[in-house]
Amino acid sequence: MKVTVDLPDKKDLFFNNKRVIDLRSDTLTQPDLAMRLAIASAEVGDDCYNEDSSVYLLQSEVKSMFRKEEALFMASGTLSNQVALRSLTNPGDEVITHPFYHINFFESSQTADLARVTLNLCDDDDGFITVNALEKAIHKKPRGGYYAKPTLVWIENPVTSTAGRVYPIDQLREISEFCRSNKIHLHLDGARIFNASASTGISLEEYAELVDSLTICFAKGLGAPFGSALIGSKDFIKRCKKYRKWYGGGFHQIGFMAKAALHGLQANINNFYTDHENAQKLASVIQDVPNIKIYPVETNIVALELSEWNINSQEFCDKCKSEGVLLFPWSHNIARGMTHCNVNESDVLQAGHIIKNILLNVLN
Ligand SMILES: *Cc1c(COP(=O)(O)O)cnc(C)c1O
């Protein structure tokens, strides 16, 4: 059937009648026309009966991109993380991770309540776990018998809390070898693994090969409105499917969203290079401000450390907002900007100049 409809294209944001450049997060993108058409033309079925061909296509594409046995479409990165935790541990087990990572920084309550595991935190300053720290975390107390059992090592790459810095590959390899020789499952929260891969040139399958299972997200740099995936062995995905249903994450005609995610993988996979270049451009304009501290930009995140300035991050973000730039107050002293497919080079240069002028005013 031929139909004619007006589809809204991605729209600009306004605040006080001024166009706003929204750099709060790469989750804020609006689907473009091509993605809306992909959604509208999706074939769907009931995915709880394994009858949604669009979900099937997406899962097949993902498992072959990462060269793992199975992939499972999930509603969000958070649900993927919680379902993975539940599937990989028993209540009371210990999970070794870093305090900066999403499962602790944002999900410590969910982790305690839903998975009922304890987090054993390796507190390396740079956000990357070392084998030395893993060894200490595991061996610094008695194990076996009545004691907590460390059954899972959980890493994140890139590390959002350190402004998207990418794990040195040799350090990942060492962690991988350590986990394999100690027979501990290694899970990667790779919500932005596409950014890591674009930044280093290391392929998705090479990253996936080093871990037993991973989480990815479609609603970030790929520009889809929804979704995430869990990737790993057949046995792992079988357990995840059970807990996805338990947690209310089994959807029926979800092929519409699977088609959007698939479109993101096919049409937007090269956006990461542009996003990273734009983040560099944004940082280089702000870098002109004397004494400003910007975290090294390796992906699409530009984080400003404001602790030596007379302003906290919320106040700073409010000032930026009144001048037409939205940033995210990541912590008391850190304001964060992220590039994504709804902002272009001229947007980031303009935003950079606005941020720079505000900082110069704060300084004076
Ligand atoms: C965004 C993100 C998540 C959560 O994804 P949602 O889809 O927002 O729930 C988990 N882990 C990391 C590292 C993320 O960046």
Side-chain angles (χ1 to χ4, degrees):
M1 182 181 57
K2 208 171 170 141
V3 288
T4 323
V5 289
D6 285 331
L7 291 176
D9 202 352
K10 45 187 182 188
K11 68 173 197 302
D12 287 337
L13 261 181
F14 288 85
F15 177 68
N16 286 347
N17 290 329
K18 236 190 338 207
R19 178 166 171 260
V20 165
I21 301 167
D22 195 346
L23 303 176
R24 285 172 298 168
S25 174
D26 53 5
T27 60
L28 287 147
T29 55
Q30 300 247 344
D32 59 12
L33 272 178
M35 188 170 281
R36 284 173 187 273
L37 287 171
I39 295 168
S41 60
E43 277 184 25
V44 296
D46 192 328
D47 188 44
C48 293
Y49 289 79
N50 299 317
E51 288 173 4
D52 192 306
S53 58
S54 296
V55 172
Y56 178 81
L57 276 179
L58 173 68
Q59 291 175 167
S60 304
E61 176 68 18
V62 168
K63 75 179 182 192
S64 75
M65 277 179 109
F66 288 85
R67 250 216 253 187
K68 288 279 195 214
E69 278 178 12
E70 287 292 347
L72 185 65
F73 190 37
M74 303 290 293
S76 68
T78 304
L79 185 64
S80 284
N81 284 352
Q82 288 303 318
V83 163
L85 274 175
R86 188 71 181 88
S87 303
L88 294 170
T89 58
N90 289 309
D93 282 356
E94 197 173 286
V95 177
I96 298 164
T97 188
H98 192 286
F100 290 176
Y101 300 169
H102 203 283
I103 53 160
N104 180 61
F105 196 88
F106 290 108
E107 297 175 56
S108 57
S109 299
Q110 298 93 308
T111 296
D113 185 32
L114 301 175
R116 289 171 286 144
V117 291
T118 61
L119 298 180
N120 184 345
L121 302 173
C122 301
D123 206 354
D124 301 273
D125 283 346
D126 60 2
F128 303 128
I129 296 175
T130 59
V131 162
N132 204 358
L134 279 182
E135 257 167 353
K136 271 197 201 142
I138 294 171
H139 299 304
K140 73 188 170 193
K141 58 183 180 185
R143 297 294 183 181
Y146 303 117
Y147 299 92
K149 200 174 167 204
T151 43
L152 175 60
V153 170
W154 187 286
I155 53 175
E156 181 176 305
N157 188 30
V159 182
T160 310
S161 280
T162 59
R165 293 195 64 197
V166 181
Y167 252 94
I169 188 70
D170 290 341
Q171 205 165 330
L172 272 188
R173 289 206 178 98
E174 283 169 23
I175 294 174
S176 177
E177 277 165 30
F178 176 87
C179 290
R180 274 171 197 166
S181 58
N182 284 276
K183 296 197 168 46
I184 295 183
H185 189 104
L186 178 60
H187 183 89
L188 163 66
D189 182 350
R192 293 197 180 83
I193 194 67
F194 300 101
N195 295 85
S197 177
S199 173
T200 58
I202 293 164
S203 69
L204 297 171
E205 50 178 89
E206 211 173 332
Y207 278 125
E209 206 276 317
L210 296 174
V211 298
D212 299 303
S213 56
L214 67 155
T215 306
I216 63 166
C217 283
F218 303 117
K220 293 187 171 168
L222 288 170
F226 175 100
S228 157
L230 280 170
I231 308 167
S233 70
K234 282 195 159 78
D235 183 52
F236 166 68
I237 294 297
K238 192 172 164 205
R239 278 177 285 140
C240 290
K241 221 167 162 176
K242 174 177 104 173
Y243 290 113
R244 183 183 70 170
K245 189 73 180 159
W246 280 25
Y247 287 1
F251 289 95
H252 300 284
Q253 285 74 21
I254 199 62
F256 292 111
M257 291 298 101
K259 214 53 198 289
L262 192 57
H263 178 80
L265 284 175
Q266 288 162 349
N268 297 343
I269 196 84
N270 289 323
N271 287 359
F272 295 100
Y273 300 101
T274 320
D275 292 349
H276 295 179
E277 279 168 23
N278 285 337
Q280 293 288 348
K281 284 174 187 156
L282 175 66
S284 70
V285 176
I286 304 168
Q287 198 77 63
D288 286 348
V289 177
N291 302 322
I292 184 69
K293 189 172 166 235
I294 304 180
Y295 281 77
V297 180
E298 294 182 19
T299 55
N300 65 332
I301 304 180
V302 178
L304 310 179
E305 163 69 58
L306 301 168
S307 53
E308 283 166 33
W309 297 69
N310 228 346
I311 193 165
N312 69 42
S313 68
Q314 184 62 60
E315 292 161 352
F316 182 71
C317 291
D318 290 345
K319 272 188 192 294
C320 291
K321 182 177 177 184
S322 65
E323 298 295 322
V325 177
L326 300 187
L327 299 177
F328 182 72
W330 176 263
S331 66
H332 190 67
N333 292 318
I334 298 174
R336 177 188 84 173
M338 285 183 96
T339 55
H340 50 76
C341 61
N342 286 180
V343 290
N344 58 28
E345 182 184 355
S346 107
D347 292 329
V348 298
L349 292 176
Q350 197 188 335
H353 284 106
I354 291 170
I355 294 167
K356 177 172 138 182
N357 286 334
I358 291 171
L359 284 165
L360 291 172
N361 283 335
V362 170
L363 189 68
N364 291 323

